[in-house]
Amino acid sequence: MIDKKYIGHTQPAFTVAVEASRLRFFAKATGQADPVYSDASAARDAGHPALPVPPTFLFCLEMESPDPAALRNLLGLDYRRLLHGEQRFVYHRMAYAGDRLTFEQRIEDIYDKKGGALEFVVRSTRVTNQRGEHVADLQGVTVMRNA
């Protein structure tokens, strides 16, 4: 069983630069046809200072953590038995190419279902920009299948 003493545990914050080339690649990979996400001129014409960060891209940036496996290792999770359970985003302001975003991760909850056959880890992440402005709150749920 995953030790519930880790509820409330926080990871060291980390900062990631938002690069225009990665935003263009993400837009192309996800079939985003709106030129606002791939053409800086179209973005400016639409009133944006630079290419905007598309929905769900913050999840990609969150994986830029210096140690993406830190929580898994801390909790002793076997990656061979892990499932992606849920993902949620609450946006507070736009982020753009050129921003530097800081991610602060926290374990919000650990619980089980089906008599311990499934264990759940709820992770929340607060995202702020280089001006300290609150950009978004991310939530991810990881599920571990037990024998």
Side-chain angles (χ1 to χ4, degrees), residues 32-109:
Q32 180 54 258
D34 187 340
V36 164
Y37 293 106
S38 57
D39 183 309
S41 295
R44 282 190 299 278
D45 290 346
H48 300 287
L51 293 178
V53 170
T56 73
F57 187 73
L58 292 177
F59 182 69
C60 297
L61 292 178
E62 185 179 24
M63 290 188 288
E64 296 289 319
S65 165
D67 182 2
L71 286 178
R72 188 180 75 220
N73 292 336
L74 174 75
L75 300 174
L77 304 178
D78 180 351
Y79 73 91
R80 297 170 297 180
R81 296 186 292 142
L82 293 182
L83 300 169
H84 177 78
E86 185 179 332
Q87 186 174 335
R88 202 178 285 174
F89 303 85
V90 176
Y91 296 95
H92 302 285
R93 69 181 345 90
M94 295 290 293
Y96 297 96
D99 281 351
R100 293 187 52 76
L101 300 179
T102 299
F103 293 76
E104 301 170 74
Q105 298 174 326
R106 180 178 193 274
I107 297 173
E108 289 294 328
D109 200 6

Side-chain angles (χ1 to χ4, degrees), residues 123-144:
R123 181 191 70 253
S124 66
T125 305
R126 179 181 170 90
V127 182
T128 55
N129 63 21
Q130 65 275 11
R131 293 176 297 282
E133 298 166 331
H134 192 184
V135 171
D137 293 304
L138 316 180
Q139 186 178 74
V141 178
T142 300
V143 183
M144 182 144 105

